[in-house]
Amino acid sequence: MPTKSLSDPFDANSDLRHDSACRHGHHGPGQCSCFDTADPNLERRMDNGEFATTEPHHAEHKAQDTLDEEALIDRAVESAVVRGMFGHNEINRRRFLQMLGGGTLAAALGSVMPLDKVKAAIKDGGPLEKTKLRIGFVPITCATPIIMAHPMGFYERYGLDVDVINTAGWAVARDMSLSGEYDASHMLSPMPLSMTLGTSSSSREHFIMPAIENINGQAITLHNKHKDKRDPKDWKGFRFAVPFEYSMHNFLLRYLVAEHGLDPDQDISIRVIPPPEMVANLRAENIDGYLAPDPFNQRAVWDEIGFIHMLTKEIWDGHPCCAFACSAAWAEEHPNTFGALFRSLIEATQYSSDIENRAEIAEAISPRAYLNQPQSVVEQVLTGRYADGLGEVKEDPHRIDFDPFPWHSMATWILTQMKRWGYVSRDFDYNQLAEDVFLASECAEVMTELGYEPPSDTYKNFEIMGKVFDYTDPEGYLDSFEIRRS
Amino acid sequence: MLSNLNFRAGVLSVVILLFFLGVWQMATAPEVLMVQEEELSEYEMLTGGGGQRGSSGIPAPSEVISHAVSELSNPFYDAGPNDKGIGIQLGYSIYRVLLGFFLAALIAIPFGFVIGMSPLLNKAFDPFIQVLKPISPLAWMPLALFVIRDSNISAIFVIFICSIWPMLVNTAYGVASVRNDWLNVAKTHELSKVRTAFTVILPAAAPTILTGMRISIGIAWLVIVAAEMLVGGTGIGYYIWNQWNNLDLASVIFAIVMIGIIGFLLDLSLAQATKLVRYAD
């Protein structure tokens, strides 16, 4: 494992900023330049603090050289938590430490957060607390990594005996997760956020999302009779279906029509319908179209009912979709099991992301025990070579893609949209919530450990339909929309 | 004469069935198959030649029957938690129905007895029963899942709650309407209350109680399918949901027929039990 030099988050003099040199991992041990890049003005103002003398610097530097792998992970997690506490404001953190000292903060933090367990959760080794697991999935291609890990042996590799349970819908996946019947589950990426906020479930519980399952992978399908209505401006009065309220499907459809000047609550109607019923409703002309997970877009083409109007990657290329989530309490109770599950899913996701493997995966997950779909339909979705329902064969290998890294700024964007459409009205700290739920830092650790290259940061700006989302100003982004509920 | 009537009715049933299947087969037959000499283009392959199937999308009976034969030839296979044979799925559903039903009987019959014998309790409990009785059993499902936190027990609870009312109401009614003459006879013989209950009231009310049980099991069988579709996992309801997910109507129709047959058998068994307790005045 490449060692990153990390500064002690409980030290008033250390610099934990993302852009400081030590975050990039190019420096070997002993070469960390954190202290060189720290603001000299700050250093000078710290002359009264107990850590402010220059001696501890050198001592710290020495200690840094000898940090072993385990300590490094500990440090990374502590650092993430402490940074999160101060909203990534270095100056606040240092002031606080100056006043109280690092030990006090560490002790105070330890009393409210089971830090040791969270750390242990991403460490390798140690006996598994539980080897027999039940993981829920909704039978759509987004669940590919969770499903394929079963027939292709990714769970076994980490000593887990997993039953993947075909689940009737996301509300059921949510309830089974809340009730503890599922150890972990396939969820839509907004779900762990809304469950942690307590807006979509009967009880509020802290859920965590260690990894994203898929990016892209959705499409808008319209009924064949609308072949000439390809401009969203013509959709006034259309009836659309999405699979769940707290879904990227809902947020992306709303975003798309609003960008074209239609109010998604006034000018079109959006209903929640389970995906297989969407195809039947489309046939019956009960709905004009849907933004839905595959294979149901491809299925409409297969059954010659509708055509694929656009892939959601044309709205936001690389948008998150489904996710792997579990309750924070479960992860803390079963840290080693959680770690093993985390690793096996990262590996499965990475394996799925290789286009070379997609045909083989389609064969593995099409049978009745998993997706229960014609193999050709699943294969068209996964390989990206598909019939569009308009008479053309299209080729787009990124139609659905798999990337586990849960960017914190993805969560921030989702939260802005939840607020935009009035799903949540109270105020919250966007980035704080994003970091509590999306485990980007931990995912980076696991990816590094498994030999993949995670991004060096956990936030980045995205471009959605040509408009840049600036994660540092979610409220400003929200205010920039003309059509919104809040 | 009677056997002759039975025989003729049987023949007529078969004729009706064949007629029905024939109409169905003709209605769903694909339009004249265009004999395609050239190979399918890639686009046609990718759309599965959808246009060549019947335009309604409803499978022909021959398709359903051949599907039924393949399912029934190996009804008890078990290929993991999401793929089990039709026999195992039906087994799960029957098990849930019977368990919920007998638990309900265990409570409803004694309790119905008590309120049937006491006009005071009868009047006092009546408003509650009247309000609780019309609630759709499935309306309890979210609450049950939340409180019980186990989908299997929740499904059994839903069966329990829907089975309890017809048995309770019928038992109370049956007990309350036992003829006064019989009770007076019991009184003149100075029978104790418990003895009266077991030797006079129970036999007199038994046919009504069994009618209640028969209504209950019918409702329970209706409800289990919907409950399993909602929760998923195992059972005939899950089977239908999973095939619906694949838009495989041949399997759905096959499952519907199986549900009908099992429901008929459950009803028949209670009808037989009713015969055993019937008496002539």
Side-chain angles (χ1 to χ4, degrees):
Chain A
M1 173 180 149
T3 50
K4 286 183 193 166
S5 306
L6 289 167
S7 303
D8 184 350
F10 300 115
D11 182 350
N13 294 326
S14 58
D15 190 325
L16 303 177
R17 283 175 297 185
H18 280 305
D19 50 2
S20 77
C22 50
R23 287 291 300 165
H24 293 292
H26 301 303
H27 304 272
Q31 293 174 350
C32 180
S33 51
C34 298
F35 304 116
D36 311 330
T37 58
D39 185 351
N41 294 328
L42 268 173
E43 295 262 0
R44 246 179 279 123
R45 271 192 272 125
M46 275 176 214
D47 47 6
N48 56 346
E50 50 173 317
F51 292 105
T53 54
T54 46
E55 283 79 15
H57 276 199
H58 298 299
E60 175 67 24
H61 227 144
K62 267 248 140 9
Q64 194 100 57
D65 293 351
T66 53
L67 279 181
D68 61 0
E69 191 175 312
E70 202 156 284
L72 266 172
I73 296 178
D74 286 358
R75 178 60 59 80
V77 176
E78 279 169 1
S79 171
V81 171
V82 172
R83 268 184 289 126
M85 266 190 65
F86 292 96
H88 295 259
N89 186 326
E90 272 299 285
I91 298 174
N92 279 353
R93 182 184 66 86
R94 291 184 184 188
R95 284 216 183 108
F96 185 87
L97 287 173
Q98 263 176 289
M99 267 159 36
L100 290 174
T104 319
L105 175 61
L109 214 53
S111 66
V112 291
M113 276 195 67
L115 267 182
D116 291 342
K117 285 178 179 169
V118 177
K119 281 181 216 161
I122 58 166
K123 252 181 238 164
D124 203 0
L128 300 178
E129 297 83 4
K130 191 174 177 185
T131 52
K132 188 113 182 83
L133 300 184
R134 285 166 59 88
I135 300 183
F137 72 93
V138 176
I140 53 176
T141 45
C142 299
T144 297
I146 286 183
I147 307 173
M148 64 73 90
H150 185 248
M152 301 180 89
F154 283 83
Y155 294 126
E156 270 173 12
R157 223 175 271 179
Y158 289 90
L160 296 171
D161 175 12
V162 173
D163 271 344
V164 287
I165 312 286
N166 197 338
T167 306
W170 283 287
V172 178
R174 174 198 65 204
D175 292 343
M176 298 285 214
S177 301
L178 282 170
S179 74
E181 260 190 84
Y182 289 166
D183 296 294
S185 180
H186 164 207
M187 282 188 195
L188 297 154
S189 49
M191 284 172 65
L193 290 167
S194 66
M195 287 162 82
T196 303
L197 274 169
T199 52
S200 67
S201 52
S202 39
S203 65
R204 186 176 167 182
E205 201 176 320
H206 184 183
F207 267 70
I208 50 175
M209 199 191 93
I212 291 205
E213 288 304 321
N214 70 305
I215 54 175
N216 301 335
Q218 322 297 312
I220 296 182
T221 297
L222 296 179
H223 192 277
N224 276 335
K225 70 180 175 187
H226 295 310
K227 276 183 180 165
D228 55 336
K229 292 194 182 147
R230 302 299 300 278
D231 185 343
K233 288 194 177 76
D234 300 334
W235 292 352
K236 217 167 172 161
F238 269 33
R239 282 165 298 187
F240 279 100
V242 295
F244 198 66
E245 276 203 332
Y246 293 88
S247 64
M248 289 301 290
H249 313 88
N250 188 16
F251 298 147
L252 289 175
L253 179 63
R254 284 168 172 271
Y255 190 99
L256 174 80
V257 297
E259 285 298 288
H260 285 87
L262 297 184
D263 187 321
D265 289 316
Q266 313 280 333
D267 299 325
I268 61 169
S269 68
I270 301 179
R271 308 176 185 174
V272 174
I273 300 183
E277 288 175 32
M278 287 180 186
V279 181
N281 273 297
L282 195 68
R283 187 199 299 271
E285 301 188 21
N286 259 342
I287 51 174
D288 297 283
Y290 49 79
L291 197 159
D294 269 308
F296 294 99
N297 300 294
Q298 201 58 50
R299 192 64 202 253
V301 174
W302 176 263
D303 287 336
E304 300 194 336
I305 302 162
F307 65 94
I308 295 177
H309 165 70
M310 75 190 298
L311 302 178
T312 48
K313 77 183 273 275
E314 296 165 42
I315 301 174
W316 170 2
D317 194 6
H319 72 77
C321 180
C322 287
F324 143 58
C326 67
S327 81
W330 185 84
E332 278 153 19
E333 244 171 74
H334 309 89
N336 295 330
T337 307
F338 173 70
L341 184 59
F342 201 166
R343 282 181 189 84
S344 51
L345 281 167
I346 297 272
E347 284 233 77
T349 311
Q350 294 287 359
Y351 187 82
S352 307
S353 77
D354 188 346
I355 194 83
E356 299 289 316
N357 302 329
R358 301 271 181 88
E360 174 199 6
I361 294 170
E363 191 188 338
I365 65 173
S366 295
R368 202 196 262 187
Y370 304 112
L371 291 185
N372 193 20
Q373 288 287 341
Q375 193 183 320
S376 165
V377 172
V378 177
E379 200 173 312
Q380 288 182 62
V381 174
L382 291 186
T383 61
R385 186 167 178 81
Y386 65 97
D388 66 352
L390 294 164
E392 264 180 75
V393 177
K394 293 206 171 169
E395 175 99 48
D396 187 344
H398 301 295
R399 172 181 178 169
I400 185 168
D401 214 340
F402 302 93
D403 179 356
F405 194 71
W407 290 93
H408 284 144
S409 40
M410 284 175 169
T412 315
W413 184 86
I414 291 169
L415 291 168
T416 62
Q417 299 304 303
M418 277 167 58
K419 214 163 188 187
R420 177 182 181 186
W421 302 116
Y423 287 101
V424 54
S425 47
R426 67 189 163 86
D427 284 316
F428 46 77
D429 181 338
Y430 289 86
N431 292 352
Q432 176 71 58
L433 193 60
E435 285 165 34
D436 281 349
V437 176
F438 281 36
L439 303 187
S441 316
E442 289 76 0
C443 185
E445 294 290 344
V446 173
M447 285 173 76
T448 311
E449 178 200 320
L450 296 176
Y452 304 107
E453 217 168 292
S456 57
D457 245 322
T458 63
Y459 284 92
K460 71 170 174 184
N461 289 340
F462 302 107
E463 198 181 298
I464 299 143
M465 290 181 77
K467 184 175 166 131
V468 174
F469 163 59
D470 175 7
Y471 69 84
T472 57
D473 184 20
E475 287 289 343
Y477 179 71
L478 198 52
D479 288 337
S480 73
F481 292 109
E482 233 169 75
I483 301 176
R484 63 173 191 269
R485 294 287 88 79
S486 63
Chain B
M1 177 64 199
L2 192 70
S3 68
N4 194 12
L5 179 68
N6 277 346
F7 177 74
R8 282 189 298 162
V11 169
L12 191 58
S13 295
V14 171
V15 169
I16 292 170
L17 179 69
L18 289 178
F19 174 76
F20 171 70
L21 291 179
V23 171
W24 176 8
Q25 179 81 40
M26 283 197 287
T28 53
E31 294 111 54
V32 192
L33 269 176
M34 282 174 288
V35 186
Q36 276 177 323
E37 292 297 325
E38 74 269 41
E39 275 189 27
L40 291 173
S41 69
E42 189 190 5
Y43 185 81
E44 283 166 322
M45 302 264 284
L46 291 180
T47 52
Q52 290 175 26
R53 271 167 280 163
S55 53
S56 61
I58 295 172
S62 51
E63 227 176 294
V64 177
I65 290 168
S66 76
H67 182 79
V69 169
S70 79
E71 284 276 3
L72 290 173
S73 58
N74 186 12
F76 296 108
Y77 75 89
D78 187 347
N82 306 315
D83 188 11
K84 296 182 199 293
I86 186 82
I88 296 183
Q89 305 284 24
L90 284 168
Y92 271 110
S93 298
I94 293 170
Y95 155 76
R96 286 186 187 126
V97 162
L98 292 183
L99 189 60
F101 173 79
F102 282 117
L103 283 176
L106 223 56
I107 291 179
I109 294 172
F111 187 57
F113 226 90
V114 171
I115 58 178
M117 287 172 74
S118 153
L120 172 70
L121 287 180
N122 201 343
K123 276 206 159 37
F125 276 105
D126 192 56
F128 299 104
I129 295 173
Q130 295 311 326
V131 168
L132 289 171
K133 197 173 62 167
I135 297 173
S136 162
L138 287 177
W140 293 99
M141 200 60 169
L143 184 67
L145 272 177
F146 185 72
V147 175
I148 300 173
R149 309 198 133 218
D150 181 299
S151 53
N152 192 37
I153 300 176
S154 300
I156 293 167
F157 168 78
V158 166
I159 296 303
F160 167 82
I161 203 87
C162 77
S163 307
I164 205 165
W165 309 117
M167 285 196 266
L168 185 65
V169 171
N170 266 42
T171 306
Y173 171 77
V175 169
S177 50
V178 171
R179 281 197 209 158
N180 266 334
D181 310 358
W182 298 353
L183 293 178
N184 289 337
V185 172
K187 254 184 212 154
T188 54
H189 281 81
E190 292 187 348
L191 291 181
S192 69
K193 276 227 157 186
V194 178
R195 248 192 116 186
T196 315
F198 278 98
T199 56
V200 179
I201 302 177
L202 185 62
T208 327
I209 295 174
L210 270 157
T211 309
M213 291 174 80
R214 206 172 148 184
I215 297 170
S216 281
I217 200 124
I219 295 175
W221 187 246
L222 290 181
V223 166
I224 194 68
V225 176
E228 287 169 347
M229 284 178 91
L230 212 69
V231 179
T234 47
I236 188 70
Y238 166 78
Y239 177 91
I240 289 203
W241 174 80
N242 197 17
Q243 297 307 337
W244 170 230
N245 226 19
N246 186 16
L247 304 168
D248 179 356
L249 286 183
S251 302
V252 171
I253 294 171
F254 162 64
I256 289 172
V257 174
M258 291 309 291
I259 291 169
I261 292 172
I262 301 291
F264 166 70
L265 291 177
L266 285 175
D267 188 65
L268 194 68
S269 58
L270 274 165
Q272 292 298 326
T274 314
K275 269 188 199 158
L276 291 181
V277 297
R278 191 172 293 156
Y279 56 89
D281 283 331

